[in-house]
Amino acid sequence: MKIHSIKYNFAMNAATTVLNFLFPLITFPYVSRILMPAGYGAAEFALSTANLFALVALLGVNTYGIRECAKVRDDEAQLARVLQELIVVVGVWTIVVTAAFYVSAITIPRFAESGSLFLVAGALIPLTTLGMQWFMSAMEQYAFMAVRNLVVKLVVIAAMFIFVHTEKDVVIWVAISVLSTGLASIANALYIFRNVKLQKWRSLDWKRHLKPLIIFFLMVASTTIYTTLDAVMLGYMTTDADVGYYNVATKIKLVFVSIIGALAGVLIPRATHALASNNKDEYYRIVNLSVHAAVIYAFFVVAAGVLFAEPLILLLAGDQYDASVLTLQAIMPAVFFISFTQITLSEILVPKNGEKKLTIVYAIAGVIDIALNLVLIPHYQALGAAIATTIAECFVFVAHMVIVGRMESMKPYLVGCGKILPWEGLSVGILIGGRLLFGCSILTAAVSVILALAVLIAGLRAVKEPLVMDLTSTACRVLKR
């Protein structure tokens, strides 16, 4: 499989991210209005629960698999062997987890209330495993993933408009959501097995992956508590409508997180490979690039999201979701923390075998999140879950900084960040001024964000910030063509 340049991969991954951003702008307003808060909340409850089990089924392979495959991707035989060994372990475990999901759907009363939704949503578990997204990321096959993503999204949009018309079409929407995962996973599997020369299955040593996968599983399980379990706890402790309000806010948060994740996702396998090859200069350059992106992005986006949450909710979901405004404002700071922790997690601590420490961190964060949910959800419903998530993410951010700081000096990762902050402050000031002086309409939000972003980019070009210089220069060359 051909490995393209960072710039090419970023362009392809950015295209996927933009599509993932535009996709909810089409589907979410339509589905949320058709199904209404209760129906939409019921669908999200079933899908969130299935996704929770799917994360357990993956057994931490999304992180571990990228690291191990990136290490040996220059050796075709070793790469195929690692792929097949991980398929055996994760495949068997997925069968167990899928069975557990359906037993739970039958025996747990709250799940049984939406039996048909859970029956359909359960297919997400094996289909997610089938996709082997970790292998595609390790091999940096972003062009294929971009094309695949476009085709799948078009199919889903068509299916939505054809089949979802009334509040009673909740099961159909869940089935369409599952179809999205299924089509992408089947495409991935066909592509992988067409391009990888498999080794003899009897020669595999799958047992060597059990211990590290268990460690990564514990880490993922702990992380899942405060990233996925919130919606499940809301479903138990409140109403389907509250789940709907919360999921509106979390979907917007995930869009913002995925944008910065487009660059981080491209650089994770590249950083792992550089470290495994003992190319420290290249490694520090790559991670520093990620940190610059996080600093530029996080301050601006969090400020915009908090200040203009109301028009954002109105635009994407409608006035029936006005209860989501405070929830979005409470959860937006989590975007700031995640922008940095996804770098420290995937580009620093995991490549340097820090998963044991990470497991402890995420376990503590999970306990914090559960405890806060138990206290806050009964009183504040969706807003309480958002506050709990933000506090848990803040703890993870602080813990990551402490761990990295004790391992090594952070100076190589932070080179050049100081010249970004003054322009960040000015752009955030423009956002605040727009909000205070001209109100909170959709037009005010759009004008304020465009003006502030233009000032930020111009300022960073003036101080010759390398990431902005490179991206804007590339954009100019493309436009001239």
Side-chain angles (χ1 to χ4, degrees), residues 256-413:
F256 286 131
V257 169
S258 68
I259 293 173
I260 184 63
L263 179 61
V266 166
L267 296 177
I268 288 168
R270 194 66 62 95
T272 301
H273 186 262
L275 194 62
S277 303
N278 202 31
N279 189 347
K280 291 186 178 181
D281 290 340
E282 176 66 6
Y283 169 74
Y284 284 123
R285 186 189 71 83
I286 290 171
V287 179
N288 180 248
L289 190 68
S290 295
V291 173
H292 274 229
V295 173
I296 294 169
Y297 181 81
F299 287 98
F300 185 89
V301 165
V302 171
V306 171
L307 291 169
F308 298 109
E310 185 177 345
L312 193 57
I313 293 292
L314 180 63
L315 177 66
L316 297 180
D319 56 8
Q320 67 265 44
Y321 287 90
D322 57 355
S324 298
V325 172
L326 282 176
T327 303
L328 177 60
Q329 291 174 326
I331 209 169
M332 276 303 297
V335 175
F336 176 88
F337 302 126
I338 295 170
S339 296
F340 292 96
T341 55
Q342 65 181 356
I343 297 170
T344 52
L345 167 70
S346 301
E347 297 181 33
I348 301 176
L349 294 173
V350 169
K352 295 186 176 183
N353 301 313
E355 54 268 20
K356 292 182 180 179
K357 294 177 181 178
L358 288 169
T359 300
I360 296 172
V361 169
Y362 288 118
I364 296 173
V367 172
I368 291 172
D369 187 67
I370 289 177
L372 289 173
N373 276 332
L374 291 173
V375 173
L376 296 174
I377 286 177
H379 299 287
Y380 302 105
Q381 293 79 46
L383 176 60
I387 294 171
T389 296
T390 295
I391 293 174
E393 293 290 0
C394 180
F395 168 79
V396 172
F397 171 78
V398 173
H400 278 210
M401 295 303 108
V402 171
I403 294 172
V404 174
R406 289 180 177 178
M407 287 174 56
E408 59 184 321
S409 171
M410 297 181 67
K411 289 183 180 180
Y413 303 123

Side-chain angles (χ1 to χ4, degrees), residues 396-445:
V396 172
F397 171 78
V398 173
H400 278 210
M401 295 303 108
V402 171
I403 294 172
V404 174
R406 289 180 177 178
M407 287 174 56
E408 59 184 321
S409 171
M410 297 181 67
K411 289 183 180 180
Y413 303 123
L414 302 176
V415 173
C417 290
K419 61 185 179 183
I420 299 173
L421 296 178
W423 293 101
E424 285 287 349
L426 179 58
S427 65
V428 170
I430 293 172
L431 293 174
I432 295 172
R435 176 68 174 83
L436 294 177
L437 295 175
F438 302 106
C440 200
S441 67
I442 294 175
L443 179 61
T444 299

Side-chain angles (χ1 to χ4, degrees), residues 142-374:
Y142 296 106
F144 172 82
M145 289 189 284
V147 174
R148 177 213 66 192
N149 198 37
L150 174 62
V151 173
V152 170
K153 291 291 191 291
L154 291 175
V155 171
V156 169
I157 290 172
M160 177 190 71
F161 285 122
I162 293 172
F163 297 110
V164 179
H165 300 290
T166 70
E167 293 180 51
K168 296 180 181 180
D169 295 331
V170 179
V171 176
I172 295 175
W173 173 244
V174 172
I176 293 172
S177 300
V178 172
L179 174 68
S180 175
T181 299
L183 291 176
S185 294
I186 292 171
N188 275 4
L190 292 174
Y191 182 81
I192 290 170
F193 291 123
R194 189 173 67 246
N195 288 280
V196 176
K197 186 177 181 181
L198 300 180
Q199 305 296 301
K200 294 181 178 179
W201 291 91
R202 292 182 179 180
S203 66
L204 303 179
D205 181 19
W206 55 268
K207 293 181 181 179
R208 67 190 176 105
H209 299 290
L210 288 178
K211 183 177 179 179
L213 275 174
I214 289 172
I215 294 173
F216 274 93
F217 167 70
L218 293 174
M219 183 178 74
V220 171
S222 301
T223 307
T224 300
I225 289 174
Y226 68 89
T227 56
T228 307
L229 195 58
D230 290 336
V232 178
M233 292 183 72
L234 269 173
Y236 268 112
M237 301 170 70
T238 59
T239 66
D240 285 338
D242 288 310
V243 177
Y245 297 138
Y246 181 71
N247 273 285
V248 167
T250 55
K251 281 186 180 298
I252 294 173
K253 181 203 78 172
L254 288 174
V255 168
F256 286 131
V257 169
S258 68
I259 293 173
I260 184 63
L263 179 61
V266 166
L267 296 177
I268 288 168
R270 194 66 62 95
T272 301
H273 186 262
L275 194 62
S277 303
N278 202 31
N279 189 347
K280 291 186 178 181
D281 290 340
E282 176 66 6
Y283 169 74
Y284 284 123
R285 186 189 71 83
I286 290 171
V287 179
N288 180 248
L289 190 68
S290 295
V291 173
H292 274 229
V295 173
I296 294 169
Y297 181 81
F299 287 98
F300 185 89
V301 165
V302 171
V306 171
L307 291 169
F308 298 109
E310 185 177 345
L312 193 57
I313 293 292
L314 180 63
L315 177 66
L316 297 180
D319 56 8
Q320 67 265 44
Y321 287 90
D322 57 355
S324 298
V325 172
L326 282 176
T327 303
L328 177 60
Q329 291 174 326
I331 209 169
M332 276 303 297
V335 175
F336 176 88
F337 302 126
I338 295 170
S339 296
F340 292 96
T341 55
Q342 65 181 356
I343 297 170
T344 52
L345 167 70
S346 301
E347 297 181 33
I348 301 176
L349 294 173
V350 169
K352 295 186 176 183
N353 301 313
E355 54 268 20
K356 292 182 180 179
K357 294 177 181 178
L358 288 169
T359 300
I360 296 172
V361 169
Y362 288 118
I364 296 173
V367 172
I368 291 172
D369 187 67
I370 289 177
L372 289 173
N373 276 332
L374 291 173

Side-chain angles (χ1 to χ4, degrees), residues 49-201:
T49 306
N51 278 318
L52 178 66
F53 277 78
L55 285 171
V56 173
L58 288 171
L59 201 61
V61 75
N62 271 352
T63 305
Y64 176 75
I66 291 176
R67 186 183 76 180
E68 297 304 301
C69 290
K71 285 180 180 179
V72 299
R73 69 184 188 187
D74 294 331
D75 186 328
E76 292 185 4
Q78 286 297 324
L79 179 65
R81 186 169 286 108
V82 170
L83 168 65
Q84 291 172 254
E85 289 168 350
L86 291 176
I87 287 174
V88 171
V89 176
V90 179
V92 172
W93 178 241
T94 296
I95 295 173
V96 174
V97 173
T98 304
F101 174 85
Y102 282 114
V103 170
S104 300
I106 296 171
T107 58
I108 296 177
R110 182 65 179 89
F111 291 175
E113 291 176 10
S114 305
S116 58
L117 298 181
F118 276 78
L119 178 66
V120 176
L124 271 174
I125 303 169
L127 288 173
T128 300
T129 298
L130 176 66
M132 295 174 281
Q133 190 70 22
W134 43 273
F135 183 83
M136 299 294 288
S137 296
M139 300 306 296
E140 302 183 35
Q141 299 302 298
Y142 296 106
F144 172 82
M145 289 189 284
V147 174
R148 177 213 66 192
N149 198 37
L150 174 62
V151 173
V152 170
K153 291 291 191 291
L154 291 175
V155 171
V156 169
I157 290 172
M160 177 190 71
F161 285 122
I162 293 172
F163 297 110
V164 179
H165 300 290
T166 70
E167 293 180 51
K168 296 180 181 180
D169 295 331
V170 179
V171 176
I172 295 175
W173 173 244
V174 172
I176 293 172
S177 300
V178 172
L179 174 68
S180 175
T181 299
L183 291 176
S185 294
I186 292 171
N188 275 4
L190 292 174
Y191 182 81
I192 290 170
F193 291 123
R194 189 173 67 246
N195 288 280
V196 176
K197 186 177 181 181
L198 300 180
Q199 305 296 301
K200 294 181 178 179
W201 291 91

